[in-house]
Amino acid sequence: MSDGQIPEGEQNPYAQPTTENIQPAPTNVDYSAPVYHQSQYIIRRKVLKIFGAAFHIYDMAGNLAFYSKQKAFKLKEDIRIYGDQAMTSELLCIKARGVIDLGMTYDVIDSTTQQVVGSLRRKGLKSILRDSWTIQDVNDQEIGTMTEESGALAILRRFIGGALVQLVAPQQFNGYIGDVPVFQFNQNRNPFVQKITLDYGPDVNGLLDRRLGIAAAALVCAIEGRQN
Amino acid sequence: MLETACSQCNHVWSVPPSKKGGSVNCPSCGVLTELDGASDTGWFYGLTFGGFAVLGLPFGVMAVIGILNGSMSMAVCSGSIFALAVLVLLFVLFGS
Ligand SMILES: [Zn+2]
């Protein structure tokens, strides 16, 4: 080996930066934990919490599956999801990339491994009339979508008032990986109790990284709660 | 492309511009790295202080003019609106 060569197994520190390696190293985390793999959950949101919105996500047996808390007084939105209400076991971190809400991308980070698992991007202009999101992989490539159903009702909700329309036609979000349905979020009819049913039942082939699915629900709840 | 360096192993690599302000894992050691430059931070402060300068500050000036001219009603009215604008500014700055 000549002097100019780099020993085997070492990286050339002067190498041109590449983009093909931005995929994170494979994770060993056992995110197959049953808590991620219920087919249905219910989110209840504390309506009276002004700073740092918080909500509980229960499984269908009524056990607390996740507790989510939005950090108050942060310039960039920062939502954490814990396995318990005492906030001792942080599972996910959802961080906005910017400050202004329209068309924002939120990175979803697995707090147990510190790995970015993907991101969720709110389509700015489209979301003015009807909430519309893209689900992205770690390289910002679109892998799926999440859209508010019924454009006409979405417009009524924005211009007439959420509570009235909620009574007649509760908000509904459908999620897809490619064209395959993977989840459905349904708001309840009672405008005084913030409750959303999360149904991951359509994802029979396990196409959705459930961490992204839970993060999507938390974002919808946080953003819709703020808009209401 | 944005060039970024890992704080742990100094590895340098490129990420798409869309990642600005986001988080990425170093491809070499895996450590989580925050990318700076949230593109709209400038817009946020610009709009906040610009809005305050246009909608709030004139009432502060009017309150001072009211006090100087002995017009208490003008001073109180303008002063109240100015105080409200200051409160809104503080709320936006510290509540965001
Ligand atoms: Zn590194």
Side-chain angles (χ1 to χ4, degrees), chain A residues 11 17-19 21-22 24 51 73-76 95 97-100 104 107 109 114-116 138 140, chain B residues 1 3 11 13-14 18-23 25 27-28 32 34 38 40 43-45 91 94-96:
Chain A
Q11 275 187 322
T18 57
T19 54
N21 281 334
I22 55 175
F51 295 112
F73 306 114
K74 290 277 277 187
L75 197 59
K76 286 204 226 172
K95 273 186 179 174
R97 288 187 190 167
V99 180
I100 294 170
M104 182 63 68
D107 283 310
I109 298 153
Q114 291 294 297
Q115 296 277 314
V116 180
V138 285
D140 281 359
Chain B
M1 286 291 172
E3 204 167 274
H11 178 69
W13 78 105
S14 287
S18 61
K19 290 264 186 195
K20 207 171 181 182
S23 306
N25 288 104
S28 176
L32 190 67
E34 302 247 341
D40 47 12
W43 277 101
F44 174 78
Y45 285 115
F91 184 79
F94 295 103
S96 52

mmCIF file of all heavy atoms in Angstrom, chain A residues 11 17-19 21-22 24 51 73-76 95 97-100 104 107 109 114-116 138 140, chain B residues 1 3 11 13-14 18-23 25 27-28 32 34 38 40 43-45 91 94-96:
data_model
loop_
_atom_site.group_PDB
_atom_site.id
_atom_site.type_symbol
_atom_site.label_atom_id
_atom_site.label_comp_id
_atom_site.label_asym_id
_atom_site.label_seq_id
_atom_site.Cartn_x
_atom_site.Cartn_y
_atom_site.Cartn_z
ATOM 1 N N GLN A 11 -12.653 5.642 6.443
ATOM 2 C CA GLN A 11 -13.285 6.505 5.453
ATOM 3 C C GLN A 11 -12.362 7.624 5.054
ATOM 4 O O GLN A 11 -11.560 8.090 5.872
ATOM 5 C CB GLN A 11 -14.564 7.090 6.038
ATOM 6 C CG GLN A 11 -15.716 6.145 5.867
ATOM 7 C CD GLN A 11 -16.992 6.827 6.291
ATOM 8 O OE1 GLN A 11 -17.007 7.577 7.238
ATOM 9 N NE2 GLN A 11 -18.060 6.542 5.576
ATOM 10 N N PRO A 17 -18.973 14.769 -0.624
ATOM 11 C CA PRO A 17 -20.193 14.347 0.069
ATOM 12 C C PRO A 17 -21.164 13.653 -0.875
ATOM 13 O O PRO A 17 -21.271 14.020 -2.035
ATOM 14 C CB PRO A 17 -20.782 15.659 0.587
ATOM 15 C CG PRO A 17 -20.079 16.747 -0.121
ATOM 16 C CD PRO A 17 -18.779 16.215 -0.620
ATOM 17 N N THR A 18 -21.800 12.647 -0.394
ATOM 18 C CA THR A 18 -22.769 11.915 -1.206
ATOM 19 C C THR A 18 -24.134 11.983 -0.555
ATOM 20 O O THR A 18 -24.242 12.290 0.617
ATOM 21 C CB THR A 18 -22.377 10.429 -1.327
ATOM 22 O OG1 THR A 18 -22.281 9.918 -0.013
ATOM 23 C CG2 THR A 18 -21.077 10.251 -2.062
ATOM 24 N N THR A 19 -25.146 11.700 -1.347
ATOM 25 C CA THR A 19 -26.490 11.708 -0.766
ATOM 26 C C THR A 19 -27.049 10.310 -0.647
ATOM 27 O O THR A 19 -28.047 10.098 0.001
ATOM 28 C CB THR A 19 -27.464 12.512 -1.648
ATOM 29 O OG1 THR A 19 -27.397 11.998 -2.947
ATOM 30 C CG2 THR A 19 -27.135 13.968 -1.639
ATOM 31 N N ASN A 21 -26.133 7.896 1.008
ATOM 32 C CA ASN A 21 -26.020 7.213 2.295
ATOM 33 C C ASN A 21 -26.824 7.852 3.406
ATOM 34 O O ASN A 21 -26.568 7.597 4.562
ATOM 35 C CB ASN A 21 -24.551 7.173 2.719
ATOM 36 C CG ASN A 21 -23.834 6.090 1.977
ATOM 37 O OD1 ASN A 21 -24.473 5.125 1.568
ATOM 38 N ND2 ASN A 21 -22.545 6.258 1.777
ATOM 39 N N ILE A 22 -27.765 8.735 3.059
ATOM 40 C CA ILE A 22 -28.439 9.418 4.165
ATOM 41 C C ILE A 22 -29.474 8.543 4.863
ATOM 42 O O ILE A 22 -30.012 8.923 5.867
ATOM 43 C CB ILE A 22 -29.070 10.776 3.755
ATOM 44 C CG1 ILE A 22 -30.008 10.600 2.605
ATOM 45 C CG2 ILE A 22 -28.026 11.812 3.500
ATOM 46 C CD1 ILE A 22 -30.739 11.886 2.259
ATOM 47 N N PRO A 24 -30.651 6.144 7.481
ATOM 48 C CA PRO A 24 -30.018 5.846 8.755
ATOM 49 C C PRO A 24 -29.644 4.370 8.867
ATOM 50 O O PRO A 24 -30.198 3.525 8.162
ATOM 51 C CB PRO A 24 -31.102 6.201 9.775
ATOM 52 C CG PRO A 24 -32.368 6.118 9.035
ATOM 53 C CD PRO A 24 -32.062 6.465 7.617
ATOM 54 N N PHE A 51 -51.582 26.308 27.244
ATOM 55 C CA PHE A 51 -50.186 26.203 26.798
ATOM 56 C C PHE A 51 -49.758 24.744 26.770
ATOM 57 O O PHE A 51 -50.060 23.979 27.686
ATOM 58 C CB PHE A 51 -49.255 26.975 27.741
ATOM 59 C CG PHE A 51 -49.527 28.450 27.717
ATOM 60 C CD1 PHE A 51 -50.059 29.079 28.828
ATOM 61 C CD2 PHE A 51 -49.267 29.195 26.580
ATOM 62 C CE1 PHE A 51 -50.313 30.435 28.807
ATOM 63 C CE2 PHE A 51 -49.523 30.556 26.559
ATOM 64 C CZ PHE A 51 -50.046 31.177 27.671
ATOM 65 N N PHE A 73 -43.975 27.326 24.559
ATOM 66 C CA PHE A 73 -42.965 28.373 24.394
ATOM 67 C C PHE A 73 -41.764 27.916 23.573
ATOM 68 O O PHE A 73 -40.616 28.177 23.908
ATOM 69 C CB PHE A 73 -42.505 28.912 25.758
ATOM 70 C CG PHE A 73 -43.642 29.383 26.607
ATOM 71 C CD1 PHE A 73 -43.965 28.738 27.781
ATOM 72 C CD2 PHE A 73 -44.422 30.452 26.195
ATOM 73 C CE1 PHE A 73 -45.035 29.153 28.542
ATOM 74 C CE2 PHE A 73 -45.493 30.878 26.952
ATOM 75 C CZ PHE A 73 -45.805 30.228 28.133
ATOM 76 N N LYS A 74 -42.024 27.169 22.528
ATOM 77 C CA LYS A 74 -40.954 26.794 21.611
ATOM 78 C C LYS A 74 -41.250 27.472 20.282
ATOM 79 O O LYS A 74 -42.373 27.431 19.800
ATOM 80 C CB LYS A 74 -40.924 25.270 21.397
ATOM 81 C CG LYS A 74 -40.473 24.473 22.604
ATOM 82 C CD LYS A 74 -38.986 24.405 22.728
ATOM 83 C CE LYS A 74 -38.389 23.330 21.863
ATOM 84 N NZ LYS A 74 -36.957 23.143 22.098
ATOM 85 N N LEU A 75 -40.226 28.082 19.695
ATOM 86 C CA LEU A 75 -40.412 28.756 18.414
ATOM 87 C C LEU A 75 -40.816 27.747 17.345
ATOM 88 O O LEU A 75 -41.740 27.958 16.580
ATOM 89 C CB LEU A 75 -39.119 29.476 18.023
ATOM 90 C CG LEU A 75 -39.224 30.532 16.947
ATOM 91 C CD1 LEU A 75 -40.192 31.626 17.348
ATOM 92 C CD2 LEU A 75 -37.862 31.130 16.656
ATOM 93 N N LYS A 76 -40.107 26.624 17.327
ATOM 94 C CA LYS A 76 -40.467 25.547 16.401
ATOM 95 C C LYS A 76 -41.302 24.536 17.169
ATOM 96 O O LYS A 76 -40.935 24.150 18.283
ATOM 97 C CB LYS A 76 -39.201 24.851 15.908
ATOM 98 C CG LYS A 76 -38.399 25.649 14.916
ATOM 99 C CD LYS A 76 -37.575 24.670 14.112
ATOM 100 C CE LYS A 76 -36.151 25.083 13.958
ATOM 101 N NZ LYS A 76 -35.354 24.033 13.332
ATOM 102 N N LYS A 95 -40.792 17.093 15.375
ATOM 103 C CA LYS A 95 -40.212 18.439 15.373
ATOM 104 C C LYS A 95 -40.476 19.150 14.062
ATOM 105 O O LYS A 95 -40.200 18.596 12.996
ATOM 106 C CB LYS A 95 -38.697 18.345 15.542
ATOM 107 C CG LYS A 95 -38.236 18.290 16.966
ATOM 108 C CD LYS A 95 -36.739 18.350 17.001
ATOM 109 C CE LYS A 95 -36.259 18.324 18.441
ATOM 110 N NZ LYS A 95 -34.810 18.229 18.511
ATOM 111 N N ARG A 97 -39.735 21.712 11.103
ATOM 112 C CA ARG A 97 -38.471 22.202 10.524
ATOM 113 C C ARG A 97 -38.423 23.719 10.486
ATOM 114 O O ARG A 97 -37.380 24.298 10.268
ATOM 115 C CB ARG A 97 -38.310 21.675 9.101
ATOM 116 C CG ARG A 97 -37.991 20.199 9.075
ATOM 117 C CD ARG A 97 -37.680 19.736 7.674
ATOM 118 N NE ARG A 97 -37.611 18.283 7.657
ATOM 119 C CZ ARG A 97 -37.594 17.560 6.566
ATOM 120 N NH1 ARG A 97 -37.670 18.160 5.393
ATOM 121 N NH2 ARG A 97 -37.526 16.255 6.630
ATOM 122 N N GLY A 98 -39.568 24.358 10.642
ATOM 123 C CA GLY A 98 -39.586 25.818 10.567
ATOM 124 C C GLY A 98 -40.533 26.394 11.588
ATOM 125 O O GLY A 98 -40.980 25.704 12.506
ATOM 126 N N VAL A 99 -40.854 27.669 11.393
ATOM 127 C CA VAL A 99 -41.659 28.391 12.372
ATOM 128 C C VAL A 99 -43.066 28.665 11.866
ATOM 129 O O VAL A 99 -44.040 28.474 12.581
ATOM 130 C CB VAL A 99 -40.970 29.732 12.730
ATOM 131 C CG1 VAL A 99 -41.777 30.497 13.753
ATOM 132 C CG2 VAL A 99 -39.572 29.474 13.247
ATOM 133 N N ILE A 100 -43.162 29.094 10.615
ATOM 134 C CA ILE A 100 -44.478 29.461 10.086
ATOM 135 C C ILE A 100 -45.213 28.202 9.637
ATOM 136 O O ILE A 100 -44.634 27.327 8.979
ATOM 137 C CB ILE A 100 -44.340 30.505 8.963
ATOM 138 C CG1 ILE A 100 -43.802 31.803 9.580
ATOM 139 C CG2 ILE A 100 -45.679 30.782 8.300
ATOM 140 C CD1 ILE A 100 -43.384 32.841 8.583
ATOM 141 N N MET A 104 -45.742 23.183 6.435
ATOM 142 C CA MET A 104 -44.639 22.796 7.312
ATOM 143 C C MET A 104 -44.301 21.309 7.182
ATOM 144 O O MET A 104 -45.177 20.489 6.968
ATOM 145 C CB MET A 104 -45.063 23.090 8.755
ATOM 146 C CG MET A 104 -44.011 22.790 9.781
ATOM 147 S SD MET A 104 -42.586 23.820 9.541
ATOM 148 C CE MET A 104 -43.278 25.388 9.980
ATOM 149 N N ASP A 107 -40.367 16.421 11.242
ATOM 150 C CA ASP A 107 -39.566 15.201 11.309
ATOM 151 C C ASP A 107 -40.089 14.335 12.447
ATOM 152 O O ASP A 107 -40.411 14.841 13.526
ATOM 153 C CB ASP A 107 -38.097 15.546 11.581
ATOM 154 C CG ASP A 107 -37.411 16.067 10.328
ATOM 155 O OD1 ASP A 107 -37.524 15.409 9.288
ATOM 156 O OD2 ASP A 107 -36.783 17.143 10.396
ATOM 157 N N ILE A 109 -38.970 11.416 14.935
ATOM 158 C CA ILE A 109 -37.743 10.793 15.441
ATOM 159 C C ILE A 109 -38.114 9.759 16.502
ATOM 160 O O ILE A 109 -38.912 10.047 17.394
ATOM 161 C CB ILE A 109 -36.814 11.869 16.058
ATOM 162 C CG1 ILE A 109 -36.422 12.880 14.964
ATOM 163 C CG2 ILE A 109 -35.575 11.245 16.674
ATOM 164 C CD1 ILE A 109 -36.097 14.251 15.488
ATOM 165 N N GLN A 114 -32.967 7.432 18.666
ATOM 166 C CA GLN A 114 -32.514 8.702 18.057
ATOM 167 C C GLN A 114 -32.386 8.583 16.540
ATOM 168 O O GLN A 114 -31.485 9.161 15.935
ATOM 169 C CB GLN A 114 -31.173 9.150 18.685
ATOM 170 C CG GLN A 114 -31.308 9.580 20.141
ATOM 171 C CD GLN A 114 -32.162 10.844 20.287
ATOM 172 O OE1 GLN A 114 -31.819 11.892 19.796
ATOM 173 N NE2 GLN A 114 -33.297 10.722 20.954
ATOM 174 N N GLN A 115 -33.265 7.795 15.946
ATOM 175 C CA GLN A 115 -33.274 7.639 14.486
ATOM 176 C C GLN A 115 -34.458 8.389 13.895
ATOM 177 O O GLN A 115 -35.580 8.276 14.406
ATOM 178 C CB GLN A 115 -33.440 6.162 14.112
ATOM 179 C CG GLN A 115 -32.293 5.268 14.543
ATOM 180 C CD GLN A 115 -31.148 5.308 13.561
ATOM 181 O OE1 GLN A 115 -31.342 5.212 12.364
ATOM 182 N NE2 GLN A 115 -29.945 5.462 14.066
ATOM 183 N N VAL A 116 -34.193 9.116 12.818
ATOM 184 C CA VAL A 116 -35.288 9.749 12.085
ATOM 185 C C VAL A 116 -36.023 8.627 11.343
ATOM 186 O O VAL A 116 -35.391 7.830 10.652
ATOM 187 C CB VAL A 116 -34.759 10.797 11.080
ATOM 188 C CG1 VAL A 116 -35.902 11.443 10.318
ATOM 189 C CG2 VAL A 116 -33.934 11.863 11.791
ATOM 190 N N VAL A 138 -37.236 8.778 5.079
ATOM 191 C CA VAL A 138 -36.126 9.560 5.650
ATOM 192 C C VAL A 138 -35.427 10.426 4.617
ATOM 193 O O VAL A 138 -34.728 11.380 4.965
ATOM 194 C CB VAL A 138 -35.066 8.656 6.333
ATOM 195 C CG1 VAL A 138 -35.553 8.156 7.653
ATOM 196 C CG2 VAL A 138 -34.650 7.521 5.443
ATOM 197 N N ASP A 140 -37.041 12.204 2.385
ATOM 198 C CA ASP A 140 -38.053 13.168 1.937
ATOM 199 C C ASP A 140 -38.783 12.722 0.674
ATOM 200 O O ASP A 140 -39.349 13.546 -0.037
ATOM 201 C CB ASP A 140 -37.457 14.571 1.726
ATOM 202 C CG ASP A 140 -37.289 15.314 3.050
ATOM 203 O OD1 ASP A 140 -37.645 14.735 4.085
ATOM 204 O OD2 ASP A 140 -36.805 16.459 3.036
ATOM 205 N N MET B 1 -28.049 21.257 -2.811
ATOM 206 C CA MET B 1 -27.692 20.358 -1.718
ATOM 207 C C MET B 1 -27.076 21.134 -0.538
ATOM 208 O O MET B 1 -26.359 22.108 -0.746
ATOM 209 C CB MET B 1 -26.678 19.315 -2.200
ATOM 210 C CG MET B 1 -27.306 18.247 -3.083
ATOM 211 S SD MET B 1 -28.393 17.212 -2.108
ATOM 212 C CE MET B 1 -29.147 16.240 -3.393
ATOM 213 N N GLU B 3 -24.581 21.037 2.693
ATOM 214 C CA GLU B 3 -23.477 20.262 3.235
ATOM 215 C C GLU B 3 -23.540 20.360 4.754
ATOM 216 O O GLU B 3 -23.730 21.445 5.303
ATOM 217 C CB GLU B 3 -22.162 20.833 2.724
ATOM 218 C CG GLU B 3 -21.047 19.810 2.726
ATOM 219 C CD GLU B 3 -19.863 20.300 1.919
ATOM 220 O OE1 GLU B 3 -19.860 20.088 0.697
ATOM 221 O OE2 GLU B 3 -18.975 20.900 2.535
ATOM 222 N N HIS B 11 -17.804 13.628 10.081
ATOM 223 C CA HIS B 11 -18.109 13.197 8.718
ATOM 224 C C HIS B 11 -18.916 14.309 8.026
ATOM 225 O O HIS B 11 -19.806 14.901 8.632
ATOM 226 C CB HIS B 11 -18.928 11.901 8.766
ATOM 227 C CG HIS B 11 -19.330 11.389 7.419
ATOM 228 N ND1 HIS B 11 -18.415 10.885 6.527
ATOM 229 C CD2 HIS B 11 -20.534 11.315 6.803
ATOM 230 C CE1 HIS B 11 -19.053 10.519 5.424
ATOM 231 N NE2 HIS B 11 -20.337 10.768 5.572
ATOM 232 N N TRP B 13 -21.351 15.339 4.799
ATOM 233 C CA TRP B 13 -22.172 14.770 3.744
ATOM 234 C C TRP B 13 -23.224 15.770 3.289
ATOM 235 O O TRP B 13 -23.356 16.845 3.886
ATOM 236 C CB TRP B 13 -22.796 13.443 4.182
ATOM 237 C CG TRP B 13 -23.983 13.533 5.085
ATOM 238 C CD1 TRP B 13 -25.282 13.311 4.734
ATOM 239 C CD2 TRP B 13 -24.006 13.806 6.497
ATOM 240 N NE1 TRP B 13 -26.104 13.444 5.837
ATOM 241 C CE2 TRP B 13 -25.342 13.751 6.922
ATOM 242 C CE3 TRP B 13 -23.016 14.119 7.440
ATOM 243 C CZ2 TRP B 13 -25.727 13.987 8.238
ATOM 244 C CZ3 TRP B 13 -23.398 14.350 8.753
ATOM 245 C CH2 TRP B 13 -24.737 14.282 9.141
ATOM 246 N N SER B 14 -23.926 15.446 2.224
ATOM 247 C CA SER B 14 -24.928 16.359 1.663
ATOM 248 C C SER B 14 -26.335 15.837 1.900
ATOM 249 O O SER B 14 -26.571 14.638 1.852
ATOM 250 C CB SER B 14 -24.728 16.500 0.163
ATOM 251 O OG SER B 14 -23.591 17.262 -0.086
ATOM 252 N N SER B 18 -34.501 20.500 1.045
ATOM 253 C CA SER B 18 -35.780 20.426 1.760
ATOM 254 C C SER B 18 -35.596 20.086 3.234
ATOM 255 O O SER B 18 -36.473 20.310 4.049
ATOM 256 C CB SER B 18 -36.680 19.378 1.108
ATOM 257 O OG SER B 18 -36.071 18.108 1.177
ATOM 258 N N LYS B 19 -34.427 19.556 3.587
ATOM 259 C CA LYS B 19 -34.170 19.143 4.979
ATOM 260 C C LYS B 19 -33.787 20.311 5.883
ATOM 261 O O LYS B 19 -33.622 20.120 7.092
ATOM 262 C CB LYS B 19 -33.021 18.127 5.003
ATOM 263 C CG LYS B 19 -33.371 16.777 4.412
ATOM 264 C CD LYS B 19 -33.774 15.827 5.505
ATOM 265 C CE LYS B 19 -33.987 14.420 4.974
ATOM 266 N NZ LYS B 19 -34.716 13.618 5.959
ATOM 267 N N LYS B 20 -33.645 21.487 5.301
ATOM 268 C CA LYS B 20 -33.224 22.670 6.066
ATOM 269 C C LYS B 20 -34.064 22.834 7.335
ATOM 270 O O LYS B 20 -35.287 22.790 7.269
ATOM 271 C CB LYS B 20 -33.377 23.913 5.186
ATOM 272 C CG LYS B 20 -32.452 25.044 5.524
ATOM 273 C CD LYS B 20 -32.566 26.108 4.455
ATOM 274 C CE LYS B 20 -31.633 27.262 4.731
ATOM 275 N NZ LYS B 20 -31.757 28.318 3.736
ATOM 276 N N GLY B 21 -33.386 22.988 8.455
ATOM 277 C CA GLY B 21 -34.093 23.160 9.718
ATOM 278 C C GLY B 21 -34.533 21.850 10.351
ATOM 279 O O GLY B 21 -35.105 21.846 11.433
ATOM 280 N N GLY B 22 -34.260 20.738 9.674
ATOM 281 C CA GLY B 22 -34.734 19.439 10.161
ATOM 282 C C GLY B 22 -33.664 18.640 10.880
ATOM 283 O O GLY B 22 -32.617 19.166 11.265
ATOM 284 N N SER B 23 -33.938 17.357 11.060
ATOM 285 C CA SER B 23 -33.019 16.465 11.755
ATOM 286 C C SER B 23 -32.629 15.322 10.820
ATOM 287 O O SER B 23 -33.474 14.810 10.089
ATOM 288 C CB SER B 23 -33.699 15.870 12.990
ATOM 289 O OG SER B 23 -34.215 16.892 13.813
ATOM 290 N N ASN B 25 -29.765 11.717 10.509
ATOM 291 C CA ASN B 25 -28.779 10.869 11.176
ATOM 292 C C ASN B 25 -27.498 10.868 10.358
ATOM 293 O O ASN B 25 -27.547 10.775 9.127
ATOM 294 C CB ASN B 25 -29.304 9.435 11.315
ATOM 295 C CG ASN B 25 -30.395 9.333 12.342
ATOM 296 O OD1 ASN B 25 -31.566 9.221 12.014
ATOM 297 N ND2 ASN B 25 -30.037 9.405 13.597
ATOM 298 N N PRO B 27 -24.633 9.476 8.357
ATOM 299 C CA PRO B 27 -24.542 8.185 7.686
ATOM 300 C C PRO B 27 -23.357 7.358 8.160
ATOM 301 O O PRO B 27 -23.310 6.147 7.935
ATOM 302 C CB PRO B 27 -24.389 8.553 6.209
ATOM 303 C CG PRO B 27 -23.928 9.954 6.193
ATOM 304 C CD PRO B 27 -24.406 10.602 7.458
ATOM 305 N N SER B 28 -22.406 8.013 8.843
ATOM 306 C CA SER B 28 -21.219 7.298 9.278
ATOM 307 C C SER B 28 -21.393 6.697 10.686
ATOM 308 O O SER B 28 -21.162 5.520 10.894
ATOM 309 C CB SER B 28 -20.025 8.251 9.252
ATOM 310 O OG SER B 28 -18.893 7.619 9.747
ATOM 311 N N LEU B 32 -27.732 11.742 15.775
ATOM 312 C CA LEU B 32 -28.775 12.650 15.301
ATOM 313 C C LEU B 32 -28.211 14.066 15.195
ATOM 314 O O LEU B 32 -27.624 14.570 16.142
ATOM 315 C CB LEU B 32 -29.965 12.624 16.262
ATOM 316 C CG LEU B 32 -31.226 13.333 15.810
ATOM 317 C CD1 LEU B 32 -31.854 12.633 14.606
ATOM 318 C CD2 LEU B 32 -32.243 13.406 16.945
ATOM 319 N N GLU B 34 -28.935 18.105 14.031
ATOM 320 C CA GLU B 34 -29.935 19.121 13.681
ATOM 321 C C GLU B 34 -29.346 20.040 12.620
ATOM 322 O O GLU B 34 -28.223 20.529 12.788
ATOM 323 C CB GLU B 34 -30.281 19.951 14.924
ATOM 324 C CG GLU B 34 -30.805 19.119 16.073
ATOM 325 C CD GLU B 34 -32.257 19.405 16.366
ATOM 326 O OE1 GLU B 34 -32.752 20.462 15.939
ATOM 327 O OE2 GLU B 34 -32.882 18.561 17.020
ATOM 328 N N ALA B 38 -33.660 27.306 9.772
ATOM 329 C CA ALA B 38 -35.096 27.251 9.515
ATOM 330 C C ALA B 38 -35.407 28.456 8.649
ATOM 331 O O ALA B 38 -35.243 29.594 9.066
ATOM 332 C CB ALA B 38 -35.874 27.323 10.811
ATOM 333 N N ASP B 40 -37.787 30.061 7.556
ATOM 334 C CA ASP B 40 -38.791 31.092 7.782
ATOM 335 C C ASP B 40 -38.652 31.810 9.124
ATOM 336 O O ASP B 40 -39.524 32.567 9.497
ATOM 337 C CB ASP B 40 -40.193 30.523 7.619
ATOM 338 C CG ASP B 40 -40.382 29.228 8.341
ATOM 339 O OD1 ASP B 40 -39.499 28.890 9.149
ATOM 340 O OD2 ASP B 40 -41.375 28.555 8.130
ATOM 341 N N TRP B 43 -38.686 35.431 8.376
ATOM 342 C CA TRP B 43 -40.054 35.861 8.046
ATOM 343 C C TRP B 43 -40.882 36.046 9.318
ATOM 344 O O TRP B 43 -41.631 37.008 9.458
ATOM 345 C CB TRP B 43 -40.741 34.818 7.170
ATOM 346 C CG TRP B 43 -40.399 34.951 5.729
ATOM 347 C CD1 TRP B 43 -39.500 34.205 5.026
ATOM 348 C CD2 TRP B 43 -40.952 35.880 4.796
ATOM 349 N NE1 TRP B 43 -39.448 34.613 3.729
ATOM 350 C CE2 TRP B 43 -40.338 35.642 3.562
ATOM 351 C CE3 TRP B 43 -41.891 36.897 4.907
ATOM 352 C CZ2 TRP B 43 -40.634 36.375 2.420
ATOM 353 C CZ3 TRP B 43 -42.192 37.632 3.777
ATOM 354 C CH2 TRP B 43 -41.566 37.366 2.548
ATOM 355 N N PHE B 44 -40.747 35.092 10.224
ATOM 356 C CA PHE B 44 -41.533 35.130 11.458
ATOM 357 C C PHE B 44 -41.244 36.411 12.239
ATOM 358 O O PHE B 44 -42.151 37.153 12.609
ATOM 359 C CB PHE B 44 -41.206 33.889 12.312
ATOM 360 C CG PHE B 44 -41.848 33.891 13.665
ATOM 361 C CD1 PHE B 44 -43.181 33.558 13.814
ATOM 362 C CD2 PHE B 44 -41.122 34.240 14.798
ATOM 363 C CE1 PHE B 44 -43.780 33.566 15.059
ATOM 364 C CE2 PHE B 44 -41.715 34.244 16.046
ATOM 365 C CZ PHE B 44 -43.042 33.908 16.179
ATOM 366 N N TYR B 45 -39.942 36.688 12.471
ATOM 367 C CA TYR B 45 -39.589 37.887 13.230
ATOM 368 C C TYR B 45 -39.926 39.145 12.436
ATOM 369 O O TYR B 45 -40.380 40.137 13.002
ATOM 370 C CB TYR B 45 -38.107 37.867 13.618
ATOM 371 C CG TYR B 45 -37.836 36.893 14.748
ATOM 372 C CD1 TYR B 45 -37.042 35.778 14.565
ATOM 373 C CD2 TYR B 45 -38.413 37.101 15.997
ATOM 374 C CE1 TYR B 45 -36.815 34.889 15.599
ATOM 375 C CE2 TYR B 45 -38.194 36.213 17.039
ATOM 376 C CZ TYR B 45 -37.380 35.099 16.834
ATOM 377 O OH TYR B 45 -37.180 34.227 17.856
ATOM 378 N N PHE B 91 -46.963 37.791 23.636
ATOM 379 C CA PHE B 91 -47.597 36.468 23.545
ATOM 380 C C PHE B 91 -47.072 35.709 22.325
ATOM 381 O O PHE B 91 -46.752 34.536 22.393
ATOM 382 C CB PHE B 91 -49.112 36.627 23.482
ATOM 383 C CG PHE B 91 -49.844 35.314 23.484
ATOM 384 C CD1 PHE B 91 -50.028 34.615 24.678
ATOM 385 C CD2 PHE B 91 -50.321 34.762 22.319
ATOM 386 C CE1 PHE B 91 -50.682 33.403 24.695
ATOM 387 C CE2 PHE B 91 -50.978 33.545 22.314
ATOM 388 C CZ PHE B 91 -51.154 32.867 23.515
ATOM 389 N N PHE B 94 -43.179 34.881 22.956
ATOM 390 C CA PHE B 94 -42.872 33.879 23.966
ATOM 391 C C PHE B 94 -43.807 32.679 23.924
ATOM 392 O O PHE B 94 -43.514 31.638 24.482
ATOM 393 C CB PHE B 94 -42.890 34.507 25.376
ATOM 394 C CG PHE B 94 -41.807 35.520 25.533
ATOM 395 C CD1 PHE B 94 -42.068 36.876 25.487
ATOM 396 C CD2 PHE B 94 -40.485 35.110 25.691
ATOM 397 C CE1 PHE B 94 -41.063 37.811 25.612
ATOM 398 C CE2 PHE B 94 -39.463 36.037 25.802
ATOM 399 C CZ PHE B 94 -39.753 37.394 25.766
ATOM 400 N N GLY B 95 -44.944 32.858 23.263
ATOM 401 C CA GLY B 95 -45.912 31.749 23.208
ATOM 402 C C GLY B 95 -45.735 30.885 21.975
ATOM 403 O O GLY B 95 -46.480 29.962 21.755
ATOM 404 N N SER B 96 -44.769 31.197 21.126
ATOM 405 C CA SER B 96 -44.618 30.404 19.918
ATOM 406 C C SER B 96 -43.473 29.413 20.048
ATOM 407 O O SER B 96 -42.641 29.536 20.879
ATOM 408 C CB SER B 96 -44.388 31.311 18.724
ATOM 409 O OG SER B 96 -43.347 32.178 19.004
#
